[in-house]
Amino acid sequence: MSNVSRRLLPSTSALAAFESVARLGSFSAAADELSLTQGAISRQISGLEEQLGLLLFDRSSRGVSLTEPGRAYAKSIGAALSQIRAASLQAMTKKHGDTLNLAMLPTFGTRWLLPRIPRFVAAHPEITLNFATRIGIFDFEQDGLDVAIHIGQPNWPGADCTFLMDEMVAPICSPAFLAENPVAKPQDLLGLPLLHMASRPGAWAHFFETQGVAGTPAPGMRFEQFASVGQACSAGLGVALMPLFLIEAELKAGDLVQALPLQVRSPSSYYVVAPITRMEFRPVALFRSWLIEEVGRWRDEPYYA
């Protein structure tokens, strides 16, 4: 390989470090994600910049930000690494026969789906399941995924969206917070710190509208995952709208309580989504059928609301 070719082909470790910093906006966050030291990440980035002859990040006391060349490079490298990961996964699992690459929502996956997966495995031991975590709409082909669990609306381009269930949410907080901030009616919530989910920016506005409450929800802390917003509630930081079926354990243990004894149907619903081109793929068809049956079984359980 010529020197020019080597310069055009950086190490995958350097590229992984660059992609992580570019996505997370922090050397320390990238170090945590990749289980490396911050110094190791810094050396990988510096070596990559030297190899390319480009400054990829602007560094200051406030942190790091991508330069213009860095932004363009990050866009291409992110897509390339996704393709490499997908190709590697397919190569590693090909020997097992049928495989199903499934994208699941973080909290829905761990709290609702995974406890039920043993039933699918028992019914279809010939299918190897590979799990990935995704939030929002993505490119199935680029990410090497066959099917996804989606929260939102059934408007995924080039894919079939099959309804699974509605989402019922309620205002949730810690018992100590509620004792210090009694809530008698929905209007009272407007004066309290409200916690927001990034994936549901209009959730509180919808809640107050359904209750006939006039007023604008105050801006507050925003979180990307229900696990984080649940911990914030437990810490007494405010009130959040949360799906009751995803926090059943915390409610039973008394770690979290409803600020008001009411539920509201969320504008978003859960769907199982598969690309039109994969609808006839046997593992996809079997998983979709099984999942719909599981939702029906869940609706018949005593705690379903």
Side-chain angles (χ1 to χ4, degrees):
M1 183 182 292
S2 69
N3 290 334
V4 173
S5 296
R6 287 195 187 93
R7 185 179 179 185
L8 295 177
L9 189 62
S11 71
T12 54
S13 58
L15 294 177
F18 168 72
E19 188 274 338
S20 183
V21 175
R23 175 166 40 82
L24 300 174
S26 164
F27 278 30
S28 59
D32 289 340
E33 180 177 71
L34 299 177
S35 299
L36 297 172
T37 65
Q38 188 170 340
I41 294 291
S42 181
R43 288 191 293 274
Q44 292 278 15
I45 299 301
S46 295
L48 180 60
E49 289 178 323
E50 182 178 353
Q51 184 174 357
L52 298 176
L54 292 173
L55 185 65
L56 299 172
F57 292 98
D58 286 324
R59 298 157 173 84
S60 69
S61 58
R62 292 175 294 181
V64 296
S65 60
L66 285 163
T67 61
E68 190 62 35
R71 277 192 292 273
Y73 195 56
K75 184 177 181 180
S76 298
I77 290 303
L81 288 178
S82 292
Q83 289 181 327
I84 292 172
R85 293 187 187 103
S88 298
L89 181 60
Q90 289 177 355
M92 292 165 63
T93 59
K94 197 73 172 179
K95 60 187 179 184
H96 297 296
D98 285 343
T99 63
L100 182 69
N101 299 320
L102 166 66
M104 63 181 186
L105 300 161
T107 307
F108 181 89
T110 56
R111 296 294 184 95
W112 192 92
L113 180 61
L114 287 178
R116 292 168 168 80
I117 284 294
R119 286 201 281 263
F120 179 82
V121 173
H124 304 287
E126 77 284 3
I127 297 177
T128 299
L129 291 171
N130 298 315
F131 296 92
T133 300
R134 293 290 188 278
I135 300 175
I137 294 175
F138 58 87
D139 188 316
F140 279 98
E141 184 175 353
Q142 179 175 298
D143 286 10
L145 295 167
D146 301 309
V147 67
I149 308 299
H150 173 61
I151 178 72
Q153 303 300 319
N155 54 0
W156 198 307
D160 175 85
C161 299
T162 302
F163 175 81
L164 291 176
M165 65 182 79
D166 289 315
E167 181 181 70
M168 303 299 294
V169 298
I172 300 295
C173 61
S174 71
F177 182 91
L178 187 60
E180 295 176 3
N181 303 274
V183 177
K185 55 187 182 301
Q187 181 78 34
D188 297 338
L189 293 169
L190 282 174
L192 299 178
L194 304 180
L195 309 179
H196 302 260
M197 282 290 299
S199 60
R200 295 163 176 78
W204 275 113
H206 174 76
F207 172 84
F208 287 119
E209 181 182 353
T210 63
Q211 301 306 305
V213 175
T216 302
M221 295 182 185
R222 189 176 68 169
F223 301 84
E224 291 189 352
Q225 295 188 11
F226 276 116
S228 299
V229 78
Q231 291 174 345
C233 285
S234 297
L237 294 177
V239 185
L241 285 175
M242 302 191 72
L244 296 182
F245 79 100
L246 293 182
I247 55 169
E248 184 186 357
E250 289 82 353
L251 292 171
K252 286 183 176 179
D255 297 328
L256 295 174
V257 295
Q258 287 188 233
L260 284 170
L262 58 85
Q263 298 181 47
V264 169
R265 192 180 304 279
S266 169
S268 299
S269 299
Y270 290 91
Y271 297 86
V272 56
V273 183
I276 298 297
T277 56
R278 303 293 280 168
M279 291 293 291
E280 301 303 318
F281 181 46
R282 180 174 176 273
V284 169
L286 291 173
F287 181 79
R288 287 175 71 255
S289 296
W290 171 84
L291 188 57
I292 292 168
E293 290 177 3
E294 281 298 314
V295 170
R297 185 200 302 262
W298 171 70
R299 286 199 180 102
D300 291 337
E301 293 174 0
Y303 58 81
Y304 173 68

